[in-house]
Amino acid sequence: MRARAAVRACQKVCRCLLSGSGGRVDGGQPERLAEGSSPLGGPLRSQAELPGGNELTEAPESGEGSEALLEICQRRHFLVDTKRQISRDSLLSGCHSGFGPLGLELRKNLAAEWWSSVVVFREQVFPVDALHVKSGPSLPGDGAFRLVSAESLREILQDKELSKEQLVAFLENLLKTSEKLRENLLHGALERYVNCLDLVNKRLPYGLAQIGVCFHPASDTKQTPEAVKRIGEKTEASLVWFTSARTASQWLDFWLRHRLLWWRKFAVSPSNFSSSDCQDEEGRKGNKLYYNFPWGKEPIETLWNLGDRELLHMYPGNVSQLHGRDGRKNVVPSVLSISGDLDQGMLAYLYDSFQLTENSFTRKKHLHRKVLKLHPCLAPIKVALDMGRGPTVELRQVCQGLFNELLENGISVWPGYLETAQSSLEQLYAKPHPLS
């Protein structure tokens, strides 16, 4: 009975943690938040308050802070711990050994929050999926990677009867007929536009959402020659919003406010997330969302008003099939592209959450504990079950019961009670759990 009561109390605490921090941005027009405040009106906190005697201090500055954060992320399995040193540039470019178990769980939680905010709790947004590769001729300035059979390439290069001109022609033809890795998710959503138009009875606006891996060229001058490009990967969250040209600018402003509030609501320091206007070479307007890292601002999400050019290019000829209803008019919609880099966003939240706390359980007061104060919704593990000194068999049974019931309710748990060495409560609190 005591074990079941403990389970209920623990579940209540977990529900409070999961639902009480940060309001959801959905439904109607989002409201602006005052800096340093939560949507509930109180001071913003990323986790439960620290116990007495532990005071937060600022994270180390610039290079020192980056090295300390990368070290703690590798040690606590947010990043894969390899012999090759992980640099800031490799993380930003997507050319690294990958994320560890807790890093993958953090990214999964971030993607789930994005999906809930953009798709689940919003009308007229539908999920789509597309292949990682797409066919099509190479365009001038196209830097996408092509998938070429090594055997086909070897046969062409080893044919000694080919002249230089013939060799170049064969290689060009091989590239033209090969498929290329996708650089973004926009193309897949545009391909699904006509089919999904029937879902809304051709009424505008509506959106198509997708989360997936994209690929881009990335140079690593320390490891490879300058002319050689490596394949960088990123997990992109994309919303393509189809609306009439009449309301496109209003919707762009709406999504800009929505996305900025969404990034800020999980942050310890919301003011580190900011936005600015931008414009491409063709004069199309957009916005970029940034996180202010210790070395400067880096983009984490972009919003573009692309007009109707992409749709007309993908569906040449029969324009009437593109028509959506804007009131009583049939119009070719403008395309708004909202794409966020979840890997970059995850890195932003790791830097945002990295703090030093004074350790009240040690006699050496100058020593600090390095902690990650992630928002409860993003934290890879919500509850740690440890076992102090006492009757081992009975405590282990209680912990096992709690563990099973928490997992059944979708709450991730760290089974610290499986360790055989008994520790005091102070030692259990002070030891560096692989948690946030």
Side-chain angles (χ1 to χ4, degrees), residues 193 202-206 241-252 305 307-308 311 322-336:
Y193 166 74
K202 297 191 175 184
R203 183 168 59 88
L204 299 175
Y206 86 98
W241 189 251
F242 303 97
T243 183
S244 65
R246 179 178 60 86
T247 58
S249 60
Q250 297 172 1
W251 276 112
L252 187 65
N305 182 358
D308 59 7
L311 274 178
L322 301 177
H323 283 165
R325 290 190 296 110
D326 176 33
R328 295 183 178 180
K329 294 182 179 180
N330 290 327
V331 297
V332 177
S334 290
V335 177
L336 304 186

Side-chain angles (χ1 to χ4, degrees), residues 145-162:
F145 283 100
R146 293 273 175 171
L147 296 177
V148 178
S149 167
E151 186 62 29
S152 300
L153 185 61
R154 191 178 295 110
E155 289 179 1
I156 295 175
L157 294 176
Q158 291 179 351
D159 191 344
K160 297 181 180 180
E161 296 182 359
L162 294 177

Side-chain angles (χ1 to χ4, degrees), residues 346-374:
M346 188 180 80
L347 188 62
Y349 283 125
L350 287 173
Y351 272 92
D352 174 75
S353 65
F354 181 52
Q355 296 175 346
L356 301 179
T357 63
E358 293 183 0
N359 195 343
S360 63
F361 294 118
T362 180
R363 296 178 181 179
K364 300 178 180 179
K365 295 298 181 181
H366 64 281
L367 295 180
H368 292 87
R369 297 175 64 235
K370 300 171 184 176
V371 297
L372 298 174
K373 299 291 291 181
L374 287 165

Side-chain angles (χ1 to χ4, degrees), residues 49-55 358 360-361 429:
E49 296 288 347
L50 287 173
N54 288 268
E55 297 181 358
E358 293 183 0
S360 63
F361 294 118
Y429 176 79

